[in-house]
C-alpha cells in the first residue's frame, strides 16, 4: 500500500470510529470564521420592522454582554429584542456551514418573527423554493416560549419540511433555543431567577423551618478551644460566643417579613442590576462587624463564597438595621444588610458565609478560627425557567422506533447470513430464495417505505461537519439513516463495502432484481472485457473525488454533481420528479438489463467512497481454491459485478458479497473441481479376462 493510500485509509478509520463510538471531537470547538462570518447578521431597520410587524422604521440598538443581541424601540418604547442564532449558538447546518437566523421575541414572551439570513444547506437548494424556506421560518411567529411545543400563528409552522428533514430540523432547534435564551436573558419569561413578586406573611420560626434563614452557634467553650492563649482569655461555658444568622432577603416573603414593608421597599428600590440583598445578624460575645471596616471600608470578618469565587462585603453596600418587626425574632445584638455585587453571583445556587474570629495572644501574635455557614435559597423562591425545547431527534426516534427496530433486525439477520455462510452456500436453492427475499425487502421496505437510501451527499456532509464543528444532533434527526450508517460502518471493518452495496442498497437491489427478470425473459447479457472493465472503474472514483473537492468550494454545486446518483429519483421520490431525472434513471436501469449492476460497477460515487475504508476489513470470509484462476475460471464468469480477476482473486473494492462465487465453488453439479473429484472417487469397474481355448 502506498503512503497516500495509507493516509486515506487512516482518515476513513477516524471517520468510522466517530460513527461507531459517539464521542464528538469537535462538539465544543467550532471552526473560526473570519470577516463577515465571524458575527451574526445585524438586523437592518426594515428587517426589524418586518419581524415585529411595525408600520414605522424602529430604532435598533446593539446590546452586548453574555447574551448579545439588539433592542428594537419606537421612540422611548421598547417593542422587543432580536438575537442571531449564529452569534449565540454558533448554529451550523447539515452542510457543516454557518446557519444564521434572526429571531425576534416580544414582551409577551412569544416569538414575534424569524428570518433566515444565511445558510449553505444543499438539501434546501434543490427541490425546494425560497418561498418554501421562508414560509417555514416565518411560521414560528406566535410560538409561546412557555409552551414551545405548541403551534404558532405564522402562515405555516410545521415541525419539518419533507425531503429536507435534517436541515429544517436544525433550523427549528436553532430558532427555539435562541428564542428561549433571548427571552430569559431579557427577563421576558421566568429564567431560573428568584421570585421578587410573591409574598406570604411568615413568622421567624416559619422562615427558619423552611430554610429561609439559617444560623450557626459557636459557644464560649468552643471559642476558648479554637483561640488558645487569647488575651483577654475567653471564658468557658454554653453561652454563645457568637450566634450568626444569614438570609438572602431579595424575595418579599423573606425580606419583607424580616425588614418590614417600608424598609424592604426602600432598600430593594435602590438595588442596581445584578445586586442582591444579604441579611446578617448575630448576638453573643463577639461582633460579626467589628470596627476595622470603618477605616478599610471592607468587612474583614465576613466573606461570601460561591464555588471558587469570593465576594467581599463593603461599606458601600452596607445598611445598619436597628430593629426587626417580627415578634419572635432572636434577641440580636447586631443586624446588618449587605448588597452582594458582581455579575457572577447566582442567588439560586448554594453559597457560604465565611466568618473569621481573631484575638491577640499574650505573646503578641494573632490567633483565629473560621466557620462556614452554608445557605441555599429554598426552591419555592426560585422561578423555574420554561422547559428547554427537546431536540427534534428525541421525538423522531420515538416516532420511528418501529422503523429503527426493523432496520436493526435487517442488519442482525444480514450479520447472521454472513457469519454462517458456509452451510448456506452449500444449499443453492435456499441461498437464492434468501437473497431474493432480502433484496425485495431492501427495495420495498427499506427504500420505498422507510426512505433508507444512503447517499454520497451524506458522506460529504459528514466530512464537512468534522471540519466545521461536529454535532451528533444533526445526524440523529434521521434515525433510519443513522442506524443504517452505524451498521454499515461496522460492516466495513469486518466484510467491506459489500455489506451495503450487495444487501442494503435499495437501488442496488432494484438493479439486481430487474436484471434477474431480464435474464428470465431471455435478454442477452453483455460481457465486458476485463481490461476495459478495470479502466471503467476509475469513473466512480473520479466522481467521488470531484464531488468531495467541489463541496469545499460550493455545496450547491457539489449537490448538482451528486445528481449522478439516481437514488433520490428512483428511491426517495419514487420517480415523481422532472422528466430528465426520470429519463436518467431509466437509462441506467436499461443498461443494467444487459450488464448486471451497470451503475454499481462504473458510476456509483458512494460505492467508491465506501471502497476506500473497505481496505481495512479485518477478515477474509470468501474462500478460494488453488485451482481458481488457473485450472478453472467459472467463478469469474459468474460474478455479477466482475470483481474476480483472471487469476481468480477477489477484488474487495468491487465485491458486493452476493456469495454467488461461494455457491458455485460448493455446488458439485457446477464446480469443475468438485466434478473432477467426484469422478476420481468413483472406482473403475473390473474388466473381464478373456479365456484361452
Amino acid at each position: 500500500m502506498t503512503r497516500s493510500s495509507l493516509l486515506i485509509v487512516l482518515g476513513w478509520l477516524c471517520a468510522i470510529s466517530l460513527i461507531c463510538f459517539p464521542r464528538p471531537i469537535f462538539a465544543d470547538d467550532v471552526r473560526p470564521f473570519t470577516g463577515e462570518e465571524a458575527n451574526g447578521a445585524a438586523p437592518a431597520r426594515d428587517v426589524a420592522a418586518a419581524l415585529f410587524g411595525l408600520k414605522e422604521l424602529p430604532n435598533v440598538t446593539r446590546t452586548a454582554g453574555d447574551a448579545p443581541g439588539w433592542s428594537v424601540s419606537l421612540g422611548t418604547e421598547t417593542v422587543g429584542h432580536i438575537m442571531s442564532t449564529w452569534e449565540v449558538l454558533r448554529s451550523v447546518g447539515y452542510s457543516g456551514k454557518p446557519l444564521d437566523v434572526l429571531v425576534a421575541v416580544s414582551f409577551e414572551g412569544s416569538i414575534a418573527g424569524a428570518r433566515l439570513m444565511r445558510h449553505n444547506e444543499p438539501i434546501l437548494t434543490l427541490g425546494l423554493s425560497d418561498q418554501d424556506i421562508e414560509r417555514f421560518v416565518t411560521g414560528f411567529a406566535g410560538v409561546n416560549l412557555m409552551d414551545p411545543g405548541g403551534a404558532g400563528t405564522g402562515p405555516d409552522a410545521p415541525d419539518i419540511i419533507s425531503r429536507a428533514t435534517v436541515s429544517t430540523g436544525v433550523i427549528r432547534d436553532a430558532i427555539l433555543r435562541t428564542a428561549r435564551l433571548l427571552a430569559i436573558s431579557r427577563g421576558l419569561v421566568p429564567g431560573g431567577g428568584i421570585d421578587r413578586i410573591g409574598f406570604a406573611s411568615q413568622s421567624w420560626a416559619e422562615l427558619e423551618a423552611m430554610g429561609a434563614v439559617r444560623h450557626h452557634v459557636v459557644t464560649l467553650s468552643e471559642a476558648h478551644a479554637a483561640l488558645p492563649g487569647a488575651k483577654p482569655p475567653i471564658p468557658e461555658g454554653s453561652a454563645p460566643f457568637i450566634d450568626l444568622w444569614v438570609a438572602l432577603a431579595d424575595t418579599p416573603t423573606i425580606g419583607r417579613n424580616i425588614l418590614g414593608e417600608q424598609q424592604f421597599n426602600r432598600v430593594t428600590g435602590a438595588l442596581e442590576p445584578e445586586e442582591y440583598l444579604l441579611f446578617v445578624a448575630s448576638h453573643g460575645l463577639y461582633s460579626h462587624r467589628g470596627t476595622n471596616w470603618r477605616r478599610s471600608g471592607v468587612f474583614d470578618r465576613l466573606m461570601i463564597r460561591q464555588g471558587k469565587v469570593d465576594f467581599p462585603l463593603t461599606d458601600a453596600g452596607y445598611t445598619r438595621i436597628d430593629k426587626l418587626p417580627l415578634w419572635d425574632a432572636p434577641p440580636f445584638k447586631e443586624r446588618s444588610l449587605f448588597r452582594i455585587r458582581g455579575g457572577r453571583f447566582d442567588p439560586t445556587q448554594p453559597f457560604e458565609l465565611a466568618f473569621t474570629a481573631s484575638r491577640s495572644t499574650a505573646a503578641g501574635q494573632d490567633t483565629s478560627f473560621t466557620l462556614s455557614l452554608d445557605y441555599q435559597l429554598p426552591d419555592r423562591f426560585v422561578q423555574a425557567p420554561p422547559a428547554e425545547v427537546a431536540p427534534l431527534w428525541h421525538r423522531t426516534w420515538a416516532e420511528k422506533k418501529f422503523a429503527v427496530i426493523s432496520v436493526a433486525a435487517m442488519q442482525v439477520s444480514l450479520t447472521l447470513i454472513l457469519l454462517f455462510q458456509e452451510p448456506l452456500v452449500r444449499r443453492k436453492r435456499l441461498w437464492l430464495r434468501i437473497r431474493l427475499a432480502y433484496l425485495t425487502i431492501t427495495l420495498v421496505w427499506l427504500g420505498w417505505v422507510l426512505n433508507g437510501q444512503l447517499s454520497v451527499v451524506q458522506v460529504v456532509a459528514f466530512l464537512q461537519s468534522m471540519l466545521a464543528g461536529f454535532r451528533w444532533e444533526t445526524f440523529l434527526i434521521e434515525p433510519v439513516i443513522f442506524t443504517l450508517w452505524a451498521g454499515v460502518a461496522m460492516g466495513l471493518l469486518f466484510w467491506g463495502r459489500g455489506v451495503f452495496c450487495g444487501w442494503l442498497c435499495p437501488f442496488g437491489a432494484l438493479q439486481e432484481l430487474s436484471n434477474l427478470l431480464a435474464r428470465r425473459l431471455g435478454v442477452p447479457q453483455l460481457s465486458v472485457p476485463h481490461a476495459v472493465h478495470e479502466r471503467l472503474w476509475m469513473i466512480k472514483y473520479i466522481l467521488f473525488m470531484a464531488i468531495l473537492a467541489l463541496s469545499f468550494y460550493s455545496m450547491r454545486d457539489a449537490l448538482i454533481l451528486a445528481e449522478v446518483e439516481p437514488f433520490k429519483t428512483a428511491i426517495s421520490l419514487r420517480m415523481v420528479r422532472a422528466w430528465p431525472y426520470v429519463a436518467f434513471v431509466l437509462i441506467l436501469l436499461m443498461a443494467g438489463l444487459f450488464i448486471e449492476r451497470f451503475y454499481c460497477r462504473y458510476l456509483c460515487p458512494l460505492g467508491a467512497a465506501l471502497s476506500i475504508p473497505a481496505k481495512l476489513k479485518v477478515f477474509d470470509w470468501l474462500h478460494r481454491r488453488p485451482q481458481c484462476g488457473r485450472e478453472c475460471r467459472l467463478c469469474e464468469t459468474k460474478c455479477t459485478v466482475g470483481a474476480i480477476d483472471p487469476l481468480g482473486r477477489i477484488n474487495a473494492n468491487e465485491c458486493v458479497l452476493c456469495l454467488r462465487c461461494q455457491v458455485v465453488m460448493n455446488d458439485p453439479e457446477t464446480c469443475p473441481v468438485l466434478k473432477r473429484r467426484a469422478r476420481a472417487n468413483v472406482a473403475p469397474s473390473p474388466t473381464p479376462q478373456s479365456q484361452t481355448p
Side-chain angles (χ1 to χ4, degrees):
M1 184 184 299
T2 64
R3 179 177 298 180
S4 59
S5 300
L6 180 60
L7 290 176
I8 293 174
V9 169
L10 290 176
W12 270 102
L13 180 60
C14 294
I16 294 172
S17 66
L18 275 172
I19 295 178
C20 301
F21 309 103
R23 179 177 180 269
I25 58 176
F26 293 111
D28 298 318
D29 184 22
V30 177
R31 176 168 61 97
F33 293 89
T34 58
E36 182 183 352
E37 290 187 333
N39 298 315
R45 296 176 67 190
D46 59 334
V47 173
L51 288 174
F52 287 99
L54 303 175
K55 297 181 180 180
E56 302 178 23
L57 292 180
N59 296 319
V60 180
T61 306
R62 176 68 173 171
T63 305
D66 294 335
W70 297 268
S71 295
V72 180
S73 60
L74 281 174
T76 59
E77 180 184 358
T78 302
V79 297
H81 301 274
I82 298 176
M83 187 174 280
S84 160
T85 62
W86 167 247
E87 184 174 32
V88 297
L89 297 181
R90 283 299 189 255
S91 53
V92 295
Y94 184 65
S95 63
K97 300 298 179 64
L99 174 69
D100 195 4
V101 180
L102 288 179
V103 182
V105 176
S106 67
F107 275 92
E108 289 75 28
S110 62
I111 298 177
R115 175 170 291 192
L116 183 65
M117 303 300 292
R118 182 174 69 220
H119 75 86
N120 245 313
E121 292 303 272
I123 297 179
L124 287 174
T125 57
L126 287 179
L128 294 172
S129 66
D130 291 338
Q131 289 73 22
D132 294 327
I133 307 169
E134 192 66 29
R135 186 166 54 251
F136 172 77
V137 174
T138 57
F140 288 90
V143 171
N144 185 351
L145 296 175
M146 296 301 293
D147 181 24
T153 58
D156 185 16
D159 292 325
I160 57 173
I161 297 178
S162 61
R163 294 177 288 132
T165 306
V166 177
S167 296
T168 53
V170 171
I171 293 175
R172 168 195 175 272
D173 289 348
I175 290 175
L176 294 179
R177 289 174 59 197
T178 301
R180 179 180 183 273
L181 175 61
L182 176 59
I184 291 176
S185 64
R186 303 300 187 265
L188 305 179
V189 296
I194 58 178
D195 180 10
R196 298 181 183 269
I197 300 175
F199 171 76
S201 180
Q202 302 286 331
S203 66
W204 188 273
E206 291 171 332
L207 290 175
E208 183 181 1
M210 71 175 65
V213 291
R214 300 187 183 186
H215 77 117
H216 187 93
V217 180
V218 179
T219 65
L220 291 172
S221 296
E222 292 172 340
H224 179 85
L227 300 172
K231 182 182 180 182
I234 300 174
E236 297 193 44
S238 59
F241 174 74
I242 186 170
D243 185 4
L244 187 66
W245 292 75
V246 65
L248 200 60
D250 295 73
T251 64
T253 299
I254 300 176
R256 184 174 160 186
N257 279 305
I258 293 177
L259 303 174
E261 182 177 2
Q262 184 177 0
Q263 189 166 226
F264 174 75
N265 291 337
R266 185 175 65 253
V267 294
T268 55
L271 285 177
E272 297 291 336
E274 298 183 339
E275 285 189 343
Y276 304 93
L277 289 177
L278 183 73
F279 174 77
V280 180
S282 65
H283 63 91
L285 181 64
Y286 202 75
S287 168
H288 70 262
R289 291 194 297 240
T291 58
N292 289 339
W293 65 273
R294 298 182 183 276
R295 296 187 298 274
S296 64
V298 178
F299 291 84
D300 56 350
R301 297 185 180 185
L302 299 173
M303 178 69 73
I304 297 296
R305 289 175 180 157
Q306 190 173 61
K308 297 181 180 180
V309 182
D310 291 343
F311 299 90
L313 303 178
T314 66
D315 60 351
Y318 164 67
T319 302
R320 174 179 169 177
I321 307 297
D322 293 325
K323 63 178 181 178
L324 302 180
L326 290 177
W327 62 271
D328 61 339
F332 294 126
K333 185 177 178 180
E334 295 177 329
R335 293 157 295 273
S336 305
L337 199 62
F338 299 97
R339 280 185 286 178
I340 304 175
R341 295 180 173 179
R344 301 178 66 183
F345 180 77
D346 186 352
T348 66
Q349 298 300 313
F351 64 91
E352 63 181 42
L353 175 64
F355 168 76
T356 302
S358 61
R359 282 286 182 90
S360 299
T361 64
Q365 299 177 342
D366 290 335
T367 181
S368 64
F369 74 88
T370 301
L371 69 87
S372 294
L373 177 52
D374 296 328
Y375 185 87
Q376 182 171 9
L377 193 67
D379 292 339
R380 60 181 294 182
F381 301 117
V382 177
Q383 291 180 321
E388 179 77 44
V389 57
L392 182 61
W393 68 269
H394 286 186
R395 192 172 68 195
T396 57
W397 279 78
E399 293 174 349
K400 296 185 178 181
K401 59 183 178 182
F402 176 74
V404 171
I405 292 173
S406 66
V407 174
M410 290 182 64
Q411 293 174 325
V412 170
S413 62
L414 177 58
T415 301
L416 295 177
I417 290 173
L418 297 178
L419 283 177
F420 302 102
Q421 59 181 271
E422 285 80 5
L424 176 64
V425 296
R426 293 190 181 98
R427 297 166 174 83
K428 182 177 181 179
R429 294 180 180 273
L430 178 61
W431 163 80
L432 183 58
R433 290 172 182 171
I434 290 178
R435 178 152 181 82
L436 293 181
Y438 200 100
L439 292 178
T440 302
I441 294 173
T442 296
L443 174 61
V444 177
W445 175 250
L446 183 60
W448 287 335
V449 176
L450 299 184
N451 200 14
Q453 174 69 66
L454 302 188
S455 168
V456 72
V457 175
Q458 296 154 1
V459 176
V460 172
F462 180 79
L463 295 176
Q464 288 282 357
S465 69
M466 289 178 62
L467 298 175
F470 186 83
R471 287 178 173 85
W472 283 108
E473 295 87 347
T474 303
F475 298 92
L476 287 168
I477 291 177
E478 281 283 11
V480 170
I481 297 298
F482 184 87
T483 305
L484 196 56
W485 267 117
V488 170
M490 292 296 294
L492 288 174
L493 292 177
F494 295 107
W495 290 284
R497 60 167 279 205
V499 169
F500 170 73
C501 297
W503 297 85
L504 294 171
C505 177
F507 189 76
L510 176 60
Q511 289 182 96
E512 185 165 333
L513 292 174
S514 60
N515 180 266
L516 177 63
L517 180 61
R519 289 172 182 264
R520 296 287 174 87
L521 295 177
V523 175
Q525 300 298 298
L526 302 180
S527 178
V528 181
H530 189 75
V532 177
H533 179 60
E534 280 187 323
R535 285 156 178 78
L536 292 177
W537 287 345
M538 296 175 58
I539 299 176
K540 60 175 178 282
Y541 292 97
I542 293 174
L543 284 173
F544 168 66
M545 296 306 297
I547 293 171
L548 179 60
L550 191 57
S551 69
F552 291 97
Y553 170 73
S554 169
M555 285 296 294
R556 180 190 297 265
D557 295 341
L559 186 64
I560 293 175
L561 181 57
E563 284 294 336
V564 70
E565 285 186 332
F567 305 155
K568 183 189 297 184
T569 303
I571 305 301
S572 302
L573 301 180
R574 294 182 285 277
M575 307 294 277
V576 181
R577 207 176 182 193
W579 73 265
Y581 298 101
V582 175
F584 177 63
V585 173
L586 294 178
I587 291 172
L588 293 178
L589 292 177
M590 184 68 67
L593 299 180
F594 300 92
I595 302 175
E596 184 172 347
R597 286 182 176 259
F598 172 82
Y599 175 78
C600 297
R601 291 192 191 194
Y602 308 124
L603 298 178
C604 183
L606 177 59
L610 295 178
S611 67
I612 298 174
K615 293 179 178 292
L616 295 173
K617 69 185 185 71
V618 180
F619 304 106
D620 190 4
W621 301 90
L622 301 181
H623 305 298
R624 299 274 78 195
R625 290 198 178 98
Q627 295 88 347
C628 295
R630 293 188 300 174
E631 301 177 15
C632 175
R633 297 176 59 183
L634 183 60
C635 290
E636 177 191 349
T637 62
K638 295 290 186 180
C639 181
T640 59
V641 292
I644 302 177
D645 64 16
L647 298 179
R649 296 171 301 188
I650 299 176
N651 188 338
N653 290 349
E654 304 300 321
C655 177
V656 295
L657 279 179
C658 66
L659 303 180
R660 183 173 277 106
C661 61
Q662 305 299 292
V663 173
V664 171
M665 66 182 293
N666 283 280
D667 184 6
E669 298 179 358
T670 305
C671 180
V673 176
L674 295 182
K675 288 181 177 180
R676 188 163 53 249
R677 288 180 182 176
R679 289 194 298 268
N681 291 333
V682 175
S685 58
T687 303
Q689 297 180 355
S690 60
Q691 296 182 358
T692 304

